[in-house]
Each structure stands twice: as C-alpha cells, then as structure tokens.
Amino acid sequence: MSIPLDELPPAAAEAALRLRRELTRILGDDLVGLWVDGGTTFPDRPLVPGDLDVCAVVTNVTPEERDSKRWHDDPESRPARLLAAQQMLEAEHGRHIDAVYLLLEEMGRHERPGTAFDHTQRENRWAIVREHWLAGQYVHLLGHLPEDVVAPPRGEDTLRDLSREIEHLERHVYEGDAADPYEATFAMWNGSRVLHTLTTGNAVVSKRSAGDWALDHLPERWHPALHAAGRSYDGVAAAEDDEILRVTMPSFVAMIREQLPYATPRPPGYVPRWG
C-alpha cells in the first residue's frame, strides 16, 4: 500500500501533479511509471520544504537520447525539454525537483541501472530505494507500481549501497565540507540512517527518525551534534550549532565507517564502537 497523494504537503502535491502533466505532454505513452519518494513522503519531514524526489520510468529511449552530450544543446530533444520543464516548475514552486529517469528494461535487475537520459550516470542507492518502494514509501502518480518492475534487494546489495553512502560522506569530509551546515547536517542524519540500517536491518526510515534513533542508542558525546543537526534540518540553527556540526562531523563519519565490516553477521561478543 503506497501513500495517498493528499498526505503530501499541498505545495508538494501541486508540484508533483504539474510535473506529471509536463512529463506526460513530452513523453506520451513512453512514460510508463511515475512516483514521488524521498523525505517529502515521511510525516516528520523538515519544517522548511526540501527537495521533491521523483522517479520516472520510461521506455523507447533512443541511443541519442541516452547520450547527454548529444542532446544537451538541442532544445527540441525530449531530454532537453524535460529539463526545461523541470526548471520552470522549480522556479514556480520555489523548490528543487530531483527527478530520476530510469529505463523500464533495466529496473528488474540487481545491478544499478543507468539513468535514461545519461547512460554514464547510475542510480547509486539502488538497493535502498528499492527497499523504500517495496515497503510502500512512495506516492503513486502514474502507470506501473514499483513492485511491478523491481526485484527485492539482496543483503549484499544493501551493504554495497551503505558502503557507497559512507564513501560519499567521507568525500565531503575530505573536501572540507564540515564547515557547510547543510553538508554537515546531511552527514549526521544520513550517517544515522546508515547506522540504523546496519543495526536493525531496516532501511526504510526518515532522516529525523534516524536522528531520534541515534539519540536513543549512541553515547552522549554525539548528542549535541545530533540536536544541532535537528535544528539545522528545520532551518532554525544558531551559529553555535554550525560550529558543533563542523567539529563533530569528521569523527562521526569515521565512527560510521568502523561499523560496516561488522554489519552482518555480528561476531560473538561484538560491542558497537560508537564511543
């Protein structure tokens, strides 16, 4: 059972319906599935509206359309028109639309599918997004349901995605992004989701719920930064919150990395090194 459209914030629902009309106009019958997923679908979404995450399932994509270098400078191509429509809606609704276009023919595999209009880009969280979809954490807008077109992820698929997510956080540490409150908040709460998944086996959790779970399970040394991330997530952080996040983010990410080798199975006598 998926989430009803009317459970989205009204502005998000309106943007989703407008996007559906634009995609249908451009793609016609080649748009065979469309759903909203991501943080907007959870009831504990941020007070400040975040991105609108959308997955569009398409078919009958030409080789030229899969090569972004070939269509980028052709405003009459379907991919360029889709991008223009998305940018128009972003300007109208004042929120970023993160639309991922996937090929129907590639979605039944365990391997990460390439994005429909840029074959060099892949869906990096393929196991995690499948877990969300198959748990009903999406709003159905058109066509196929996710459970019609994707296979349940294997345990090794999920662990691979979690490792890739940690690598993403480590790259932000390496590039000095701890000083960016947005990136530091993302690292604290997405890192909490990684820990939650490794510990509970459940990947279907919002950022805020993962942060609350971390407050209940991690030592107190991490609590100030987790509370600061919560205020930053809601757009009410103070300067001292930004500093707490800057100082804590690198060590928090390093702690998360230590957990991955012991994800499954836990060795006898294992004690999480969360201190």
Side-chain angles (χ1 to χ4, degrees):
M1 179 68 69
S2 61
I3 297 167
L5 179 65
D6 60 11
E7 290 190 13
L8 294 183
E14 181 183 353
L17 293 175
R18 284 288 313 280
L19 182 66
R20 182 178 67 181
R21 288 197 293 270
E22 292 298 320
L23 268 56
T24 302
R25 178 179 61 83
I26 296 168
L27 294 170
D29 291 341
D30 290 341
L31 177 67
V32 295
L34 184 67
W35 50 82
V36 177
D37 54 15
T40 305
T41 66
F42 286 94
D44 58 357
R45 60 186 69 91
L47 299 181
V48 178
D51 295 350
L52 183 67
D53 297 315
V54 178
C55 177
V57 184
V58 299
T59 191
N60 296 324
V61 176
T62 68
E64 291 77 16
E65 289 176 324
R66 295 215 74 187
D67 187 347
S68 61
K69 293 180 181 178
R70 301 179 69 174
W71 61 255
H72 194 273
D73 295 325
D74 178 7
E76 298 304 314
S77 68
R78 292 196 302 177
R81 290 163 60 202
L82 290 169
L83 181 59
Q86 180 177 321
Q87 292 171 339
M88 175 193 70
L89 293 176
E90 288 177 339
E92 288 183 8
H93 292 273
R95 66 192 306 155
H96 177 64
I97 298 174
D98 189 358
V100 176
Y101 297 88
L102 299 177
L103 287 175
L104 176 65
E105 296 80 3
E106 295 184 357
M107 292 184 69
R109 310 170 184 171
H110 289 292
E111 295 78 13
R112 292 179 295 149
T115 56
F117 300 116
D118 186 350
H119 65 88
T120 66
Q121 300 294 319
R122 295 193 174 276
E123 175 51 72
N124 286 327
R125 301 180 71 247
W126 185 228
I128 301 299
V129 297
R130 281 185 288 160
E131 292 202 35
H132 280 238
W133 294 340
L134 294 176
Q137 195 64 47
Y138 68 92
V139 175
H140 181 247
L141 296 176
L142 180 145
H144 286 298
L145 301 173
E147 50 266 39
D148 294 336
V149 296
V150 302
R154 302 165 300 191
E156 59 264 35
D157 300 329
T158 300
L159 285 178
R160 192 176 301 113
D161 273 12
L162 295 176
S163 180
R164 196 174 290 114
E165 183 63 36
I166 297 171
E167 290 172 6
H168 175 77
L169 300 179
E170 289 172 330
R171 183 166 65 252
H172 280 293
V173 171
Y174 176 78
E175 293 175 355
D177 291 337
D180 181 336
Y182 174 86
E183 295 295 351
T185 296
F186 179 87
M188 293 299 302
W189 276 16
N190 237 35
S192 295
R193 289 206 295 191
V194 171
L195 288 179
H196 178 276
T197 303
L198 289 174
T199 305
T200 69
N202 179 17
V204 186
V205 62
S206 69
K207 289 187 178 73
R208 191 188 303 278
S209 293
D212 290 342
W213 176 89
L215 285 168
D216 288 338
H217 290 83
L218 300 190
E220 289 188 6
R221 66 166 294 198
W222 304 114
H223 291 194
L226 290 166
H227 284 300
R231 291 187 287 271
S232 178
Y233 189 62
D234 284 330
V236 295
E240 52 265 35
D241 292 318
D242 297 345
E243 179 62 13
I244 290 171
L245 290 168
R246 183 191 67 81
V247 170
T248 309
M249 172 193 162
S251 55
F252 190 73
V253 172
M255 178 271 291
I256 296 167
R257 167 56 71 187
E258 291 181 354
Q259 305 308 309
L260 192 64
Y262 303 105
T264 52
R266 301 290 193 184
Y270 170 74
V271 177
R273 295 194 297 272
W274 290 341

